[in-house]
Amino acid sequence: LHRPPIRSRETKLTSYPTMYKLAIAALLAGSAAAFAPAQVGQSSTALNAFEGELGVQPPLGFFDPFGLLNGDVDQERFDRLRYVEIKHGRIAQLAFLGNILPRAGIHLPGNIDYSGHSFDSFPNGIAAIKGPDAIPFNGIGQIICFIGFLEITFMKDVPGTGNEFVGDFRNGYIDFGWDSFDEETKLQKRAIELNNGRAAMMGILGLMMHEQIEGNPVVGLFMEY
């Protein structure tokens, strides 16, 4: 198999956009903190108050490497962080699927515009939104507007609509059989979603980093063979 020449480390490092440098640094910092010993000064109040929360599970247990719950933290603060974690996890799951499905040859049917450009005529990954063959700005603008529409209409927790937990976006009109589950099943499904979201956040970050480093994500390399 012919392998393209490997660029020097110095050349590759100097070509990374700033945002990817920061993302890699954050990822390394989080990984290092995962294996660091527990800080002596960490608040035992937070450990005692939140060690029974959903998502605190083996092998890490109560895992707060950045100390976001240190000090005198109340339930409102925890709920806000959990809300953000769940929402980012859901977005990351969609992003991960949106990255690997087109690389598997799965695209929306038809054309993306009236000029006859089909959905599969555009590149995958970051090149779809940045580069010479990227989706035109008008198309990206529509995507941003659609996301904003979802954000202000559906993707929020409306008080007084019977939602049971932080991140429950049913808001009284979406159910999908949730009310038919017992409490144990509900906790299990919420834990699955939380863990899948955490994995997806790491997964989409890994795909983005690898695409910038090698010019082709890991998934793409596997599909070539």
Side-chain angles (χ1 to χ4, degrees), residues 3-85:
R3 184 177 297 275
I6 300 176
R7 295 173 295 174
S8 68
R9 180 178 180 83
E10 181 179 359
T11 301
K12 291 196 294 183
L13 288 176
T14 55
S15 63
Y16 297 163
T18 302
M19 62 177 292
Y20 296 107
K21 291 183 181 179
L22 295 176
I24 292 175
L27 180 60
L28 292 176
S31 301
F35 297 97
Q39 298 179 3
V40 176
Q42 186 176 20
S43 172
S44 60
T45 303
L47 290 173
N48 295 332
F50 305 116
E51 63 182 3
E53 291 285 350
L54 185 71
V56 179
Q57 55 195 34
L60 296 179
F62 183 83
F63 185 61
D64 182 23
F66 294 107
L68 299 178
L69 294 175
N70 285 353
D72 187 14
V73 179
D74 56 14
Q75 187 68 38
E76 183 179 0
R77 168 67 173 169
F78 178 87
D79 289 344
R80 172 59 184 170
L81 294 174
R82 174 51 52 84
Y83 178 89
V84 172
E85 180 185 23

Side-chain angles (χ1 to χ4, degrees), residues 67 69 113 159 162 173 196 209-211:
L69 294 175
D113 56 23
Y173 58 87
N196 286 348
M209 295 303 101
H210 197 85
E211 183 172 1

Side-chain angles (χ1 to χ4, degrees), residues 33-190:
F35 297 97
Q39 298 179 3
V40 176
Q42 186 176 20
S43 172
S44 60
T45 303
L47 290 173
N48 295 332
F50 305 116
E51 63 182 3
E53 291 285 350
L54 185 71
V56 179
Q57 55 195 34
L60 296 179
F62 183 83
F63 185 61
D64 182 23
F66 294 107
L68 299 178
L69 294 175
N70 285 353
D72 187 14
V73 179
D74 56 14
Q75 187 68 38
E76 183 179 0
R77 168 67 173 169
F78 178 87
D79 289 344
R80 172 59 184 170
L81 294 174
R82 174 51 52 84
Y83 178 89
V84 172
E85 180 185 23
I86 292 176
K87 200 167 188 178
H88 285 180
R90 291 169 178 171
I91 294 172
Q93 290 177 74
L94 293 174
F96 188 85
L97 289 177
N99 195 297
I100 64 174
L101 290 181
R103 298 183 188 281
I106 303 175
H107 299 87
L108 292 174
N111 299 324
I112 198 173
D113 56 23
Y114 291 115
S115 300
H117 297 100
S118 60
F119 284 95
D120 59 1
S121 65
F122 292 93
N124 300 316
I126 298 176
I129 59 175
K130 182 181 180 182
D133 300 320
I135 299 172
F137 176 77
N138 290 341
I140 296 178
Q142 292 179 44
I143 296 174
I144 295 175
C145 290
F146 179 66
I147 294 174
F149 171 75
L150 294 178
E151 183 75 14
I152 64 177
T153 54
F154 300 105
M155 301 293 104
K156 60 181 181 179
D157 190 344
V158 179
T161 56
N163 295 338
E164 299 179 6
F165 53 89
V166 175
D168 186 354
F169 292 164
R170 292 178 299 154
N171 298 325
Y173 58 87
I174 301 177
D175 184 65
F176 297 116
W178 179 260
D179 290 334
S180 63
F181 300 137
D182 56 35
E183 291 303 318
E184 183 178 357
T185 302
K186 288 181 178 180
L187 284 176
Q188 180 185 30
K189 291 185 176 296
R190 288 175 58 196

